[in-house]
Amino acid sequence: MLSLGSVGAKSTKPSFVSYVTPEEIKLEKEPPKIEKHPDLLPGEVEFCCANPILKYTQDDMSQRGIFGTLFCTNFRVTFISDEKSQEETTKTFKNKLYGENDIPLMCVDHIYGVYDEKKKLITGGLVKNKYPSKMIIHCKDLRVFQFCLTFTKEEDAKKIFQGIAHHCLEERSLKCVFAFSYSGTPSPEMQRKWETILFDSPEDWTQEMKRTRANCRLVTENENFELSQRLPKYFVIPSALGDLFSYQGKGFPIWCWSHHSGCALFKASLPPVTQEDGDFQKHLDIMLNAVAHNYLYSAKTEDLSESLPTIQDIQQSYNKFKQFFLIENSTDFWLSDVKWFSSLESSGWLDIIRQCLQKAVEVVECLEKDNTNVLITEEEGTDLCCVISSLVQIMLDPYYRTLMGFQSLVQKEWVAGCHAFLDRCNHLHQKDKECHSPVFLLFLECVWQLVQQHSPAFQFSETYLTVLSDSVDVPVFSTFLFNSAHHRESVMKAESPLAQSSPLSCPTVWDWSVQFDSKAQNFFFNPLYSEKVKHEKAVRKAHKPKHQRQLSLPSTAFKPPSKKGFFKDETDSLKKILRVKRLSRWMGSPDSPAATTRGFYESWKQRPLDYHGLLLPCLDGPAVRVWMQRYLRWIPEVHIMGGGSVAVMTKLMELLSQVQDLKRVLEQRDSSQAVKLDHRPYIQHRLLSFGSSGRLSSSFPFAYSRNRSFKPIIPTGLMQSLMVTDSLASQEDEASSFVSLV
Amino acid sequence: MEKSGSVDSVESLCSSTTTRSDRSSGTRVSDTELRSKGRAIEKVLQCKYTSKGELPLLPEELVQDSAKDVTYICPFVGPVRGSLTVTNYRLFFRCTDREPVFGLDLPLGVLSRVEKIGAATSRGDVSYGLACKDMRNLRFVHKEPEDSLKKSVFEVLMKFAFPVSNNMSLFAFEYKQVFPENGWRVYDPLAEYKRQGLPKESWRISKVNDHYELCDSYPAALVVPVTITDEELRRISSFRAKGRIPVLSWIHPESQAAVVRASQPMVGQNGRRCKEDEKLLQAIMDANAQSHKIFIFDARPSVNAAANKMKGGGYESEDAYQNAELVFLDIHNIHVMRESQRKLKEVVYPNIEDSHWLSNLESTHWLEHIKLILAGALRIADKVESGKTSVVVHCSDGWDRTPQLTSLALIMLDSHYRTIRGFQILLEKEWLSFGHRFQQRVGHGDKNHTDADRSPIFLQFIDCVWQMTRQFPAAFEFNEYFLITILDQLYSCLFGTFLCNSEQQRLKEEVPKHTVSLWSFVNSQLEEFVNPLYVHYPSHVLFPTVGIRHLQLWVTYYIRWNPRMRPQEPVHQRYKELLAKRAELQKRVEELQREAANRTASSSSERAGSPTRSITPVQTFV
């Protein structure tokens, strides 16, 4: 056992030295040469492989490893151990597409090479010359892999290194993405249960307008993308908006959602700024007018690019932030633990989350309290507009807090709404850094904060959000692969093997059966979800409004102008009067945006909390947290053996299933009363038996710890953590009297 | 003593117990219940106005003074006007100009300082600042009485807030509530050592300290190796600071590795040795056949331990103690901790600076201290559990950092201490009987708020326990409210439990005879403190993660006065709901089964469907 006294602490120094020297390896028996190959997915092709490769394991604080073969295919980098690992077979939460030793090519974030004990970021230039002794792969889902290349034949090592570097780092064309080669057959079972509304047909939009009682106009003129290639195929605009073609495909106020009072939220890209400022202003006025016409002639507008961080800021902040979780060894971990809070703060990531939620609360206040139409704008209208509008809808509309509702929302605002996933996620490793930004992840982070604070209001769990954030980088699904609806359609048509007949069909990410069996999908549901009382289902079918809570004050100040048959002059003059009062450029207090909504938040908090009503996040310092599950799941140092929220969840699921069983027994007993069973999607909680264990680790269901001995993880270098320089430290404990017994 | 009213008063003490009348409304958590639960935390043990607006007092509580037209400067809602009442136990403020009625109700014991701020204004208004031990400051504005002979309500307040400084007795000695259970009987040292399975062949319970002659800050019952005589113990006592010799705290039921606590050896600059002490440590090691080593954990940073040599103290040299390995745990002294708490209060009260919250929190070092304490306890527990090695733990005097470490290690090692009653025993044993100086560290009823002996040592320990309950939500029988209640009663001086500095002092003052134990109150309404998620795994050892990434600031305690940080416990609420629902369904099923069995005694095949059978065994943990 190493001595862990403070003496030892001084000498600890981060290093990348392999603790297994080549000599030691030679002493062991030669790794048996068994030809092993990965189980390829349909359409997957193996490029190259090398053996033996040593994969370091992070467990046990040591830098030991396992020998095996490293492969590179058109889908993933995969490592197959020479030993049989029993983990894979016993896993309850297993991804069918890739396992714990697989890295989908799109998921690779950075590759580092260790040359002569020096760690270098691998870029195009370095690949040509020589291969490193150790290759470190950082993944977008925050896994860290370390492979030692020195045991294999030189040419194999070179080949695998160059292969991986080529396929993971080089800019490539969309055609090469695995999704276009993947030929998995969609499971018929899932097709049936497919309830997510994709918003790719006029009916979906009509239905949504009906559900929210919106009074807007569906635009079908862009069906063949004649208006603009950046616009969705179908979209909804205020009914007052006139001629569409004069807008050059920009600056449409696009309807997002209608509040039960009648006011609505719109988003828009900004029209191009021409030489004449007047034109721009005129256009804005027309837009705002159209929006205002929607309800009570009132509107507020805000350019999000002025008040929120830019997508570059977001990218920069996230880059800093994620570094704290890409831990390569225990020494690094404990070193970074020391300045943990200030490091977090300096990345600014939590603050960006807070700002987005804050902005969403402001919009919610306008809709809910003032019953004002809101128009949010942005250069493209597909980045922060998507974040804010989706958050607003989740806060206001309980439907979007169900699993299907949430997925429909992502389809509506992000996928059909033309968020440039391909560019933002940098799926093609383009060198142009300007357009990369984890905007969608930022949105999921904000949702996680809400889930964390108001867990019973959400039907889905944090595990669902974590899996969804990972799925963005799995190159099998078409959902997050394109920049716009037009892009999707044109590529799909061109790439189809039978180009003439039907477009190619990739599975959507919402077909969860592609990745997880139904048992594992149980983890997507929040056992704490407080469901609406039974009759609610019927209400939803009839598309009745779901806003039952009456928080907002009826707007008595203004009578709604009747839409038709009014004298034109009269309406115009009314408009003029109203414009002064109700057309405003947002609340003009940039000094403390938090203060403006504070009152709104507090008055909301005074009321009894209704999980099916308005939901607001608490944004005070301690309330905005790090998404522990997503960021800490692969770090063995922070795994709590036998603890974590999984202990609670397991208990709850067990109890739920017991309640359900008892109900069933009651119903069997009481057959005269033909009460319908509670058919929840997660009725088989019983199946989730976790064996003997109350001893799962907190990282469950993601990383399984091999740490079977339940050894505690003892920090190293404690003294460095706390340098109390004050004189207090040297004072005697007993201040008043120290009795010397000499 | 009024025995007749005892049951009623228990109820009045916990007036906000959630009563659920309607359980049939499905599995949804009622929102109002959630809210009432959140508030309940402050309500229990506080009074509510009756419909007439009278203040129902505790037995022997007397109103001393009251004043109208006092303004409370609330940092969250602004100035509030109302009336202030001072009793010999509490301060009660009730606003008169606001809906819903707003009130403050705090035991005077939480006050650490009451002072006039500035001179009177032209209108004769005087400002008073009240600093509290529970992380808040209160400010009142009040008109000075015209008659200069008449005392202001705040002068009365000062008198009763600091009874010790004013030669009066603490309210705990007046309070004569009778509870169904007598909490003073919770801990019986002999029974506890018996429960641990103390092997008679290697350890004995010595009577050498029966009259506190060997060490006045130690308990009467001491467990030492059989091979060491009382005479040798006496000699050792002159070698250990304050006579606090190495004695057994806990023994592992299987490996017989022991946790032993002590104070620092009086080595001094000349490297004094004591052969009896060396023999004692050797005997401790020999009592455990599994290991040929012993670990000495010195809680202090090595620099401080070395500095103690100048003053006659120091640490064990590895030359003198064969087979012993010394490890320093780098935990700082009471002054550093007090300063850290002061900074923490600045950061969390009254307002939180959102954008710099994390760096502000880091600058207090509070969580780093928590990390070091937990890390130290973890290393001790690891040596005992995984290494099967006996350990000796000490700091300087062995009454601050030492109980923090031993009691946390014991919680990790022994699931008994994670139950409500087990935790009480742990506190009675490691903290109270082994002489943690509660009177000095908290300063009960003492106006000397700058006293350098005050330090939040016990608070840190409870914080560490809380961190563990966060990491292992199903491993503790008690809930967060239990921990908060302990801390609130630590300051309130309503119960005698945390009074005085040692067992000897408590006996001398006849504390058990004249006061009520906190455990009398707690054990008379246990259901309030039960964690519904608790699963009893007798053999599980808990190894928490001590990385600061997994430590949180205890918001529901430190920031509980901020209305924006409302506690939310949906998990527990939902769980309680489900438990109730299951119990109800279970009852229905049983009823129906009985009915069916009566009707068709012959057809046995239909009886008892398999689901029911699979459910029954799980009943055990409810």
Side-chain angles (χ1 to χ4, degrees):
Chain A
M1 207 62 208
L2 37 142
S3 161
L4 293 158
S6 51
V7 189
K10 280 172 204 156
S11 61
T12 49
K13 204 172 71 183
S15 74
F16 301 97
V17 187
S18 141
Y19 291 108
V20 186
T21 60
E23 287 76 21
E24 277 175 68
I25 297 304
K26 286 287 174 282
L27 290 177
E28 288 172 30
K29 62 178 191 314
E30 282 289 312
K33 277 272 174 197
I34 314 159
E35 279 291 305
K36 285 200 177 178
H37 286 282
D39 299 325
L40 297 175
L41 293 173
E44 191 178 356
V45 182
E46 194 182 308
F47 289 147
C48 50
C49 68
N51 180 293
I53 299 286
L54 181 72
K55 175 185 172 273
Y56 293 96
T57 50
Q58 276 185 313
D59 290 0
D60 274 344
M61 291 172 293
S62 63
Q63 290 244 332
R64 285 179 293 144
I66 323 165
F67 281 103
T69 317
L70 194 60
F71 297 88
C72 181
T73 75
N74 58 345
F75 167 56
R76 61 189 157 158
V77 173
T78 180
F79 175 81
I80 295 181
S81 161
D82 287 341
E83 297 147 42
K84 177 102 183 75
S85 106
Q86 64 275 70
E87 255 73 50
E88 291 286 326
T89 52
T90 54
K91 249 181 153 171
T92 9
F93 194 74
K94 194 179 153 194
N95 194 315
K96 293 199 252 175
L97 295 178
Y98 64 100
E100 61 174 339
N101 284 324
D102 296 326
I103 315 160
L105 297 181
M106 229 151 82
C107 185
V108 172
D109 196 8
H110 286 115
I111 300 178
Y112 295 89
V114 178
Y115 296 91
D116 305 325
E117 318 237 323
K118 272 190 204 116
K119 184 177 152 191
K120 284 181 191 160
L121 180 67
I122 303 294
T123 51
L126 268 170
V127 180
K128 294 280 177 294
N129 307 326
K130 58 173 192 165
Y131 68 94
S133 57
K134 185 172 168 185
M135 179 167 67
I136 304 168
I137 302 180
H138 287 182
C139 301
K140 287 182 180 164
D141 61 7
L142 303 149
R143 287 181 295 172
V144 175
F145 288 88
Q146 303 185 52
F147 298 108
C148 180
L149 305 180
T150 49
F151 304 113
T152 190
K153 272 184 281 175
E154 200 177 319
E155 61 206 276
D156 281 355
K158 205 165 179 177
K159 219 160 72 189
I160 194 83
F161 170 66
Q162 286 178 349
I164 289 170
H166 175 78
H167 291 289
C168 297
L169 302 174
E170 291 295 303
E171 195 166 335
R172 59 186 171 148
S173 81
L174 184 55
K175 279 180 221 162
C176 301
V177 170
F178 180 65
F180 301 105
S181 319
Y182 178 65
S183 50
T185 43
S187 66
E189 171 231 12
M190 197 58 204
Q191 292 287 359
R192 190 168 38 79
K193 288 203 281 179
W194 215 0
E195 289 172 50
T196 307
I197 303 163
L198 296 176
F199 290 94
D200 58 354
S201 69
E203 290 75 38
D204 290 347
W205 286 100
T206 323
Q207 202 67 275
E208 176 74 356
M209 281 200 283
K210 237 162 105 186
R211 191 183 71 85
T212 60
R213 287 193 297 179
N215 186 20
C216 295
R217 176 154 77 92
L218 177 71
V219 178
T220 51
E221 281 90 333
N222 203 33
E223 216 160 12
N224 299 312
F225 304 101
E226 284 153 356
L227 286 170
S228 164
Q229 299 189 346
R230 287 292 305 143
L231 279 173
K233 202 168 173 176
Y234 307 101
F235 54 95
V236 176
I237 56 167
S239 41
L241 204 67
D243 174 29
L244 291 169
F245 285 88
S246 64
Y247 293 86
Q248 300 154 337
K250 280 232 169 194
F252 287 114
I254 295 177
W255 173 81
C256 300
W257 183 78
S258 282
H259 187 254
H260 60 89
S261 66
C263 62
L265 173 66
F266 298 88
K267 62 180 175 184
S269 56
L270 288 173
V273 185
T274 51
Q275 285 89 333
E276 295 157 76
D277 272 2
D279 274 8
F280 183 73
Q281 196 52 50
K282 215 175 99 198
H283 192 107
L284 277 184
D285 285 348
I286 294 171
M287 262 191 345
L288 203 53
N289 252 314
V291 167
H293 250 293
N294 181 59
Y295 175 72
L296 285 183
Y297 203 75
S298 65
K300 279 185 175 173
T301 183
E302 167 142 323
D303 186 358
L304 294 179
S305 43
E306 279 170 20
S307 54
L308 289 177
T310 64
I311 60 165
Q312 286 84 17
D313 294 341
I314 294 168
Q315 165 79 355
Q316 258 179 19
S317 167
Y318 183 68
N319 275 346
K320 264 196 212 164
F321 177 74
K322 75 177 175 201
Q323 292 310 322
F324 308 136
F325 306 97
L326 294 164
I327 304 285
E328 281 161 22
N329 60 50
S330 202
T331 320
D332 274 7
F333 176 85
W334 292 111
L335 279 176
S336 59
D337 204 48
V338 176
K339 287 280 161 207
W340 170 243
F341 289 118
S342 49
S343 312
L344 267 189
E345 189 176 291
S346 71
S347 77
W349 183 244
L350 292 181
D351 212 43
I352 290 177
I353 293 170
R354 181 181 290 120
Q355 285 177 48
C356 288
L357 284 165
Q358 173 68 37
K359 186 55 70 188
V361 173
E362 283 169 30
V363 174
V364 168
E365 185 180 9
C366 288
L367 293 165
E368 176 78 24
K369 199 173 126 222
D370 310 334
N371 294 155
T372 309
N373 297 300
V374 176
L375 172 67
I376 48 177
T377 60
E378 191 190 7
E379 178 76 38
E380 287 289 335
T382 54
D383 288 309
L384 289 164
C385 276
C386 296
V387 175
I388 301 302
S389 74
S390 321
L391 287 175
V392 167
Q393 293 174 60
I394 289 170
M395 289 180 199
L396 281 163
D397 192 338
Y399 168 61
Y400 292 124
R401 298 176 214 145
T402 62
L403 187 82
M404 285 309 156
F406 181 76
Q407 297 187 161
S408 304
L409 180 69
V410 173
Q411 278 293 136
K412 180 170 94 165
E413 291 297 322
W414 296 82
V415 182
C418 295
H419 174 66
F421 280 104
L422 187 69
D423 287 347
R424 295 293 175 256
C425 304
N426 195 21
H427 289 321
L428 303 180
H429 314 295
Q430 284 150 333
K431 296 286 172 280
D432 172 28
K433 292 249 158 63
E434 285 293 283
C435 57
H436 314 157
S437 187
V439 181
F440 185 64
L441 178 65
L442 173 63
F443 162 64
L444 295 181
E445 283 261 16
C446 293
V447 176
W448 181 85
Q449 302 290 344
L450 284 162
V451 169
Q452 192 61 11
Q453 292 184 18
H454 304 289
S455 161
F458 291 86
Q459 195 192 19
F460 49 88
S461 64
E462 72 164 338
T463 304
Y464 168 78
L465 289 174
T466 307
V467 167
L468 182 57
S469 75
D470 289 345
S471 302
V472 172
D473 302 309
V474 178
V476 164
F477 310 107
S478 59
T479 312
F480 305 121
L481 214 49
F482 302 101
N483 278 332
S484 67
H486 170 258
H487 189 213
R488 169 188 311 273
E489 230 163 69
S490 55
V491 172
M492 289 298 233
K493 267 193 194 128
E495 287 307 311
S496 170
L498 306 155
Q500 268 70 39
S501 57
S502 67
L504 183 84
S505 80
C506 290
T508 86
V509 73
W510 315 125
D511 186 354
W512 291 110
S513 66
V514 175
Q515 289 191 77
F516 299 98
D517 59 22
S518 59
K519 230 173 172 182
Q521 283 179 48
N522 279 323
F523 288 100
F524 293 173
F525 291 92
N526 169 18
L528 288 173
Y529 181 53
S530 71
E531 254 169 306
K532 194 104 183 169
V533 262
K534 292 257 166 65
H535 63 259
E536 188 243 10
K537 224 167 197 168
V539 176
R540 187 187 301 171
K541 286 226 172 84
H543 289 285
K544 290 257 174 63
K546 310 178 59 59
H547 322 282
Q548 276 142 356
R549 182 188 33 82
Q550 290 295 325
L551 191 139
S552 39
L553 305 161
S555 201
T556 48
F558 302 93
K559 285 253 164 67
S562 48
K563 269 191 301 183
K564 297 267 157 67
F566 227 82
F567 289 111
K568 196 172 179 290
D569 292 358
E570 260 183 33
T571 7
D572 278 352
S573 64
L574 181 65
K575 272 184 204 167
K576 266 175 200 150
I577 301 164
L578 291 171
R579 176 177 297 175
V580 184
K581 287 184 177 169
R582 307 222 49 185
L583 279 189
S584 59
R585 270 294 162 82
W586 215 255
M587 40 297 275
S589 58
D591 37 277
S592 70
T596 55
T597 53
R598 190 156 274 212
F600 178 58
Y601 176 78
E602 263 155 23
S603 72
W604 170 77
K605 213 171 169 182
Q606 301 267 309
R607 284 156 215 278
L609 184 61
D610 174 7
Y611 287 122
H612 296 276
L614 175 67
L615 211 63
L616 294 179
C618 177
L619 298 176
D620 288 50
V624 180
R625 296 215 157 119
V626 174
W627 186 354
M628 302 283 242
Q629 189 193 48
R630 177 176 153 81
Y631 293 103
L632 298 182
R633 59 193 155 147
W634 313 117
I635 306 173
E637 280 80 5
V638 284
H639 291 173
I640 310 165
M641 294 309 295
S645 59
V646 62
V648 176
M649 289 302 165
T650 325
K651 217 61 247 127
L652 269 170
M653 284 175 156
E654 189 182 299
L655 195 59
L656 258 180
S657 79
Q658 284 172 20
V659 169
Q660 281 167 358
D661 282 346
L662 280 169
K663 260 192 198 160
R664 207 167 311 127
V665 174
L666 268 186
E667 277 150 16
Q668 279 167 6
R669 292 260 138 224
D670 218 5
S671 55
S672 58
Q673 266 190 0
V675 195
K676 203 75 182 83
L677 271 176
D678 183 8
H679 280 303
R680 298 218 211 165
Y682 42 106
I683 201 139
Q684 336 82 319
H685 285 305
R686 165 66 51 80
L687 297 173
L688 303 169
S689 68
F690 299 102
S692 60
S693 57
R695 308 235 85 184
L696 288 166
S697 125
S698 60
S699 64
F700 182 85
F702 293 97
Y704 270 72
S705 185
R706 265 161 237 84
N707 199 345
R708 297 250 180 265
S709 55
F710 293 117
K711 278 249 177 189
I713 295 128
I714 291 168
T716 53
L718 278 180
M719 259 318 251
Q720 286 150 317
S721 69
L722 199 47
M723 292 300 184
V724 181
T725 45
D726 322 352
S727 57
L728 288 174
S730 53
Q731 265 180 44
E732 222 18 84
D733 266 356
E734 195 67 16
S736 44
S737 63
F738 183 80
V739 189
S740 171
L741 293 169
V742 184
Chain B
M1 276 186 244
E2 312 161 64
K3 287 215 168 135
S4 59
S6 67
V7 180
D8 281 356
S9 19
V10 174
E11 274 167 21
S12 77
L13 272 173
C14 47
S15 49
S16 61
T17 323
T18 38
T19 46
R20 197 176 290 113
S21 53
D22 177 31
R23 284 190 172 149
S24 55
S25 65
T27 53
R28 263 184 78 228
V29 185
S30 146
D31 315 308
T32 39
E33 278 164 35
L34 271 182
R35 297 227 158 194
S36 65
K37 178 65 191 170
R39 288 189 194 126
I41 289 189
E42 288 125 57
K43 286 279 167 61
V44 179
L45 269 184
Q46 290 185 354
C47 291
K48 268 189 181 167
Y49 264 108
T50 60
S51 53
K52 286 178 209 151
E54 284 162 25
L55 179 68
L57 302 171
L58 295 173
E60 310 302 322
E61 184 181 0
L62 299 166
V63 172
Q64 304 295 332
D65 196 9
S66 64
K68 291 196 170 82
D69 291 337
V70 175
T71 308
Y72 166 54
I73 314 286
C74 177
F76 307 108
V77 299
V80 191
R81 285 175 74 78
S83 61
L84 184 78
T85 308
V86 174
T87 73
N88 50 351
Y89 168 62
R90 84 182 83 209
L91 174 158
F92 194 88
F93 175 83
R94 185 175 187 248
C95 88
T96 41
D97 65 348
R98 212 173 255 265
E99 277 299 323
V101 176
F102 172 94
L104 269 179
D105 178 359
L106 61 149
L108 296 176
V110 304
L111 299 177
S112 68
R113 170 168 34 158
V114 178
E115 62 177 8
K116 223 187 224 183
I117 303 169
T121 63
S122 52
R123 285 181 298 167
D125 286 344
V126 183
S127 224
Y128 289 91
L130 277 61
C132 301
K133 294 169 183 170
D134 59 358
M135 308 299 277
R136 58 179 159 166
N137 291 320
L138 308 171
R139 222 177 134 189
F140 293 96
V141 176
H142 181 49
K143 215 179 215 23
E144 282 281 89
E146 307 272 315
D147 181 2
S148 57
L149 290 173
K150 200 174 172 287
K151 272 190 178 168
S152 144
V153 69
F154 288 95
E155 284 170 64
V156 177
L157 176 72
M158 271 186 246
K159 183 174 155 200
F160 286 94
F162 308 113
V164 171
S165 303
N166 293 307
N167 287 321
M168 300 183 333
S169 63
L170 290 163
F171 183 70
F173 289 95
E174 321 272 323
Y175 178 61
K176 297 281 183 278
Q177 183 91 281
V178 178
F179 290 98
E181 199 184 303
N182 184 355
W184 290 114
R185 298 209 190 101
V186 158
Y187 174 57
D188 169 10
L190 302 185
E192 168 58 18
Y193 289 119
K194 198 175 163 203
R195 183 197 69 83
Q196 290 183 12
L198 194 72
K200 286 214 176 67
E201 62 281 7
S202 47
W203 295 88
R204 69 184 178 99
I205 298 173
S206 165
K207 289 194 186 312
V208 70
N209 203 33
D210 242 7
H211 302 288
Y212 308 102
E213 282 157 345
L214 182 87
C215 171
D216 61 1
S217 59
Y218 256 11
L222 298 177
V223 178
V224 291
V226 281
T227 49
I228 307 293
T229 65
D230 285 354
E231 188 45 43
E232 282 168 320
L233 293 178
R234 279 190 200 96
R235 247 172 273 150
I236 295 165
S237 76
S238 66
F239 181 65
R240 290 277 168 176
K242 311 284 193 301
R244 296 170 66 90
I245 59 171
V247 293
L248 180 118
S249 214
W250 187 78
I251 188 156
H252 195 287
E254 281 149 29
S255 71
Q256 307 214 334
V259 177
V260 172
R261 56 181 292 171
S263 63
Q264 65 179 340
M266 299 310 284
V267 174
Q269 279 170 298
N270 303 327
R272 230 162 60 104
R273 287 176 65 163
C274 169
K275 67 176 196 309
E276 289 83 3
D277 195 68
E278 286 157 28
K279 184 182 167 195
L280 174 59
L281 261 63
Q282 184 64 39
I284 292 166
M285 199 190 83
D286 293 341
N288 167 19
Q290 305 263 359
S291 175
H292 300 292
K293 239 187 146 152
I294 188 165
F295 274 86
I296 301 170
F297 286 97
D298 189 326
R300 303 165 292 186
S302 57
V303 187
N304 298 40
N308 261 291
K309 284 188 178 175
M310 306 287 287
K311 295 156 191 154
Y315 51 88
E316 295 83 354
S317 75
E318 284 176 18
D319 296 337
Y321 296 84
Q322 296 283 309
N323 306 317
E325 191 173 325
L326 185 68
V327 180
F328 293 103
L329 295 177
D330 300 334
I331 302 168
H332 282 282
N333 66 24
I334 60 164
H335 312 292
V336 175
M337 302 310 186
R338 182 179 58 241
E339 178 61 12
S340 173
Q341 186 197 26
R342 189 192 62 76
K343 282 187 190 151
L344 182 65
K345 188 170 175 179
E346 259 174 22
V347 167
V348 301
Y349 191 89
N351 291 310
I352 299 160
E353 203 186 336
D354 290 347
S355 51
H356 294 114
W357 160 246
L358 291 172
S359 53
N360 285 345
L361 179 62
E362 187 173 278
S363 70
T364 68
H365 297 300
W366 184 258
L367 286 176
E368 284 171 70
H369 293 308
I370 297 289
K371 171 183 164 178
L372 283 167
I373 296 165
L374 274 172
L378 182 67
R379 288 165 75 166
I380 294 167
D382 176 42
K383 278 286 163 282
V384 174
E385 177 67 26
S386 323
K388 298 186 165 74
T389 312
S390 293
V391 297
V392 176
V393 185
H394 70 73
C395 47
S396 292
D397 294 315
W399 53 44
D400 291 316
R401 287 166 275 198
T402 302
Q404 283 181 337
L405 290 167
T406 54
S407 47
L408 284 170
L410 263 46
I411 288 171
M412 292 174 197
L413 290 165
D414 190 340
S415 65
H416 180 62
Y417 298 123
R418 295 171 221 146
T419 64
I420 293 180
R421 282 170 193 272
F423 190 75
Q424 294 170 7
I425 290 172
L426 183 75
L427 292 190
E428 286 284 346
K429 178 171 166 298
E430 287 301 303
W431 290 85
L432 293 157
S433 82
F434 276 95
H436 172 67
R437 323 205 86 193
F438 278 102
Q439 173 64 40
Q440 274 196 349
R441 298 288 177 256
V442 180
H444 295 304
D446 187 346
K447 70 174 178 189
N448 183 12
H449 62 89
T450 53
D451 188 349
D453 275 329
R454 292 198 187 173
S455 189
I457 300 300
F458 185 70
L459 170 64
Q460 281 184 321
F461 160 69
I462 297 287
D463 194 330
C464 290
V465 174
W466 180 80
Q467 303 286 353
M468 284 184 67
T469 63
R470 287 278 111 167
Q471 294 192 15
F472 302 97
F476 290 83
E477 193 194 8
F478 48 83
N479 55 22
E480 182 179 46
Y481 176 46
F482 177 68
L483 297 177
I484 293 181
T485 302
I486 290 175
L487 287 177
D488 282 346
Q489 299 315 324
L490 167 70
Y491 303 126
S492 76
C493 296
L494 180 62
F495 300 104
T497 301
F498 298 113
L499 303 184
C500 301
N501 286 326
S502 65
E503 188 177 288
Q504 184 219 21
Q505 274 185 22
R506 269 183 288 274
L507 282 182
K508 206 176 122 208
E509 305 267 330
E510 297 184 300
V511 171
K513 196 174 152 199
H514 296 300
T515 70
V516 181
S517 161
L518 171 58
W519 315 129
S520 306
F521 164 70
V522 166
N523 293 342
S524 300
Q525 41 151 359
L526 279 177
E527 67 285 355
E528 279 293 303
F529 304 106
V530 171
N531 169 16
L533 301 170
Y534 177 58
V535 190
H536 181 65
Y537 292 116
S539 62
H540 278 189
V541 173
L542 305 184
F543 288 135
T545 295
V546 300
I548 217 138
R549 288 162 172 85
H550 260 312
L551 301 182
Q552 294 173 32
L553 185 75
W554 189 2
V555 169
T556 39
Y557 179 73
Y558 299 113
I559 320 187
R560 61 180 159 152
W561 312 118
N562 187 334
R564 291 171 66 83
M565 305 294 328
R566 183 181 62 199
Q568 287 200 324
E569 286 194 294
V571 181
H572 290 230
Q573 275 307 312
R574 178 106 166 104
Y575 200 84
K576 271 191 180 159
E577 196 101 7
L578 282 168
L579 283 173
K581 195 166 172 60
R582 188 181 65 180
E584 184 201 296
L585 287 168
Q586 191 98 57
K587 216 176 114 200
R588 280 265 301 144
V589 168
E590 277 159 22
E591 271 171 26
L592 285 166
Q593 274 171 355
R594 224 174 299 129
E595 210 180 292
N598 288 346
R599 242 183 257 160
T600 54
S602 53
S603 65
S604 58
S605 59
E606 205 208 350
R607 233 166 83 206
S610 57
T612 344
R613 219 175 295 141
S614 64
I615 286 150
T616 3
V618 204
Q619 275 290 330
T620 46
F621 71 83
V622 185

